[in-house]
Amino acid sequence: MHLEETTWTDAEAAETHLALLPVGSTEQHGPHAPLGTDTLDAEAVAEAAAGQYADPVVVAPAIPVGIAEEHRQFAGTLWTSEDTFRSYVRDVVGSLASHGWDRVAVVNGHGGNIAALREVTARIVRHDDAFAIPFTWFDEVGDHSAEMGHAGPLETSMLRHAAPETVHEDRLGAAAADGSDGWGEWQGRVNLAVDSHEFTDNGVVGDPSESSADLGEELLDRSATALCDLLDAIRDRDPGPRATE
């Protein structure tokens, strides 16, 4: 059940306490993929999991702007502060919980959101009348997770399967040629780079020409199955007594 497509009376009648909250970003993804890649991918995983889960699941509208200032030099990138992002996620989860949808998986599509989501969901569990847990789809695709870059083969493959009209396939070769092989500029285990323009000319990390719709279908299936397993794990979980602020 997608809330933005549902009447309030039908939402009130929904017999579930499970919800999915897609979270993405509006940021550069090279010359071949849209600024909304992270949001589109997160929405695709949430929709697929809700569709295959045995019981009803509420799917909230996606949060499309995240922690992405590292891409600020590329036109169209939007970002918010970590404090604003955490507060917004917490408010939305609280809104869901107020209607009885108090077991929430936050389906994330952007690496820059991971640390803040870990912190805010822990705060929700400790202090609020809800149980929230972060789920980052590209961490849940088996051995393929090691291939994750930025606008590289994984993200591009997911789009080529779930939203093929958004990918400029004629630009894949150029995207790979002007991209980077890895994220950052490293001295030992220390990353010297703060922003992505320091190590990639066009914003790409990895080789998107290695992407395919078939790989995207596999990635979507793997991540959606893992998300369904997570819903099984949280649906009856008791977080115990709340702490006081």
Side-chain angles (χ1 to χ4, degrees), residues 2 23 46-48 50 57 63 75 79 86 106-107 113 125-126 143 155 161 172 179 186 191 196 205-206 209 229:
H2 294 262
V23 173
E47 181 175 354
V57 181
I63 295 175
W79 64 90
R86 287 193 297 261
V106 183
V107 184
N113 293 339
V125 172
R126 291 182 180 125
D143 293 340
E155 290 182 302
H161 171 63
L172 293 176
W186 294 85
N191 184 6
S196 59
V205 177
S209 67
D229 291 341

Side-chain angles (χ1 to χ4, degrees), residues 14-238:
E15 295 183 358
T16 185
H17 59 279
L18 295 171
L20 300 174
L21 173 58
V23 173
S25 183
T26 300
E27 64 181 49
Q28 67 84 12
H29 276 81
H32 65 290
L35 291 157
T37 291
D38 292 344
T39 307
L40 291 169
D41 285 349
E43 288 178 315
V45 173
E47 181 175 354
Q52 73 182 55
Y53 197 66
D55 297 322
V57 181
V58 169
V59 181
I63 295 175
V65 178
I67 301 166
E69 192 173 4
E70 67 271 21
H71 300 294
R72 62 193 171 90
Q73 289 85 359
F74 295 91
T77 296
L78 307 178
W79 64 90
T80 185
S81 70
E82 292 192 14
D83 285 345
T84 298
F85 177 77
R86 287 193 297 261
S87 294
Y88 195 90
V89 170
R90 189 177 184 183
D91 284 348
V92 175
V93 171
S95 299
L96 291 166
S98 74
H99 302 298
W101 308 314
D102 59 0
R103 295 292 183 271
V104 183
V106 183
V107 184
N108 178 45
H110 173 49
N113 293 339
I114 291 175
L117 287 176
R118 184 183 304 117
E119 192 280 336
V120 71
T121 54
R123 182 172 292 276
I124 288 168
V125 172
R126 291 182 180 125
H127 300 283
D128 300 344
D129 292 327
F131 184 91
I133 199 77
F135 175 93
T136 298
W137 74 264
F138 48 80
D139 288 340
E140 301 290 346
V141 291
D143 293 340
H144 292 298
S145 293
E147 304 162 19
M148 184 61 181
H150 188 262
L154 296 197
E155 290 182 302
T156 305
S157 290
M158 181 74 85
L159 282 181
R160 291 181 73 178
H161 171 63
E165 71 282 359
T166 68
V167 179
H168 297 273
E169 295 189 14
D170 59 328
R171 302 178 186 176
L172 293 176
D178 292 332
S180 170
D181 293 333
W183 184 274
E185 293 183 0
W186 294 85
Q187 174 59 47
R189 293 182 179 273
V190 177
N191 184 6
L192 303 178
V194 174
D195 291 336
S196 59
H197 80 288
E198 298 177 59
F199 52 85
T200 171
D201 290 337
N202 65 359
V204 174
V205 177
D207 188 350
S209 67
E210 296 178 354
S211 67
S212 70
D214 287 342
L215 175 57
E217 183 177 13
E218 178 187 350
L219 297 173
L220 185 59
D221 181 66
R222 283 175 177 254
S223 54
T225 298
L227 182 52
C228 287
D229 291 341
L230 180 63
L231 290 173
D232 280 339
I234 70 173
R235 61 181 302 161
D236 297 317
R237 185 172 180 83
D238 180 4

Side-chain angles (χ1 to χ4, degrees), residues 1-16:
M1 184 179 71
H2 294 262
L3 285 183
E4 67 267 43
E5 301 171 2
T6 303
T7 67
W8 78 264
T9 52
D10 290 337
E12 186 177 52
E15 295 183 358
T16 185

